[in-house]
Amino acid sequence: MATCNLRLLERFDCEALAEKRARANSVIADDQRLRDSLVAQIRHIEIQIAHKRADIEQLRHRLSEPSPPGFISIGRTGRLGRYRLGDLAVNSAPAAAQFVQARRVTRRLEGEIKALERELPALRQALWDRTERLNEAIASRACINTARRAKGCIGA
């Protein structure tokens, strides 16, 4: 962070210091707006990730892996018998199709989560840099105000 150079600023007249303060206020306002935008972008991505993870959990809990029914069923005559291969295929096909579709959606969502997570470090670094710049601008404005006070410009 830059240090305050009062000797340099005291060389300026009150009008020039007022202009420097106005520019500093403008820079601070821009930096705050950009910082808030970065915070909103990061939060939006975090919310998207949370929603996608919730969708994945919902898919995992809703469908279990398809399994064939027990080995014994009630036959056409009302007696216990074994499932025929065709009956097994017909009975388990819808569950297998739902399971495959759920796995496909889960993989797609996991890929989207990874893509979103790759965006976060760059945004967080940009937020850090913007916050540093904002802090420097605030310190600069404070230095300008100190110089204005020292010259007796405040209130004039």
Side-chain angles (χ1 to χ4, degrees):
M1 187 177 284
T3 59
C4 181
N5 192 346
L6 283 176
R7 287 188 183 154
L8 176 68
L9 287 175
E10 287 176 349
R11 293 181 188 168
F12 293 100
D13 62 357
C14 289
E15 187 176 311
L17 288 173
E19 289 174 11
K20 285 186 177 295
R21 184 175 185 276
R23 276 194 303 261
N25 284 337
S26 173
V27 167
I28 289 170
D30 289 344
D31 285 343
Q32 284 177 333
R33 183 180 46 77
L34 292 171
R35 184 183 175 281
D36 292 345
S37 172
L38 287 168
V39 168
Q41 287 176 19
I42 290 170
R43 184 68 184 139
H44 179 70
I45 288 175
E46 289 172 344
I47 289 171
Q48 283 183 318
I49 290 171
H51 283 290
K52 290 179 189 304
R53 285 190 174 139
D55 290 345
I56 289 171
E57 284 302 312
Q58 185 180 23
L59 282 171
R60 286 183 179 156
H61 290 298
R62 187 170 24 145
L63 295 173
S64 60
E65 214 170 312
S67 60
F71 292 108
I72 299 181
S73 69
I74 298 177
R76 293 181 191 150
T77 60
R79 298 183 336 185
L80 293 177
R82 295 192 182 272
Y83 278 108
R84 292 181 300 187
L85 188 56
D87 293 334
L88 289 174
V90 169
N91 289 337
S92 63
Q98 287 178 344
F99 180 76
V100 168
Q101 181 62 26
R103 286 295 300 151
R104 189 175 300 139
V105 171
T106 299
R107 285 190 187 118
R108 180 184 54 81
L109 290 172
E110 287 171 346
E112 290 174 5
I113 287 172
K114 287 178 183 175
L116 290 170
E117 286 174 340
R118 282 191 298 267
E119 292 178 28
L120 283 176
L123 287 173
R124 287 187 176 130
Q125 182 62 45
L127 176 62
W128 176 264
D129 294 342
R130 185 58 58 183
T131 301
E132 287 291 316
R133 181 176 164 172
L134 175 62
N135 289 339
E136 288 177 6
I138 290 171
S140 174
R141 181 180 65 185
C143 185
I144 292 168
N145 284 337
T146 302
R148 291 180 71 210
R149 235 180 258 111
K151 283 194 72 123
C153 299
I154 292 184

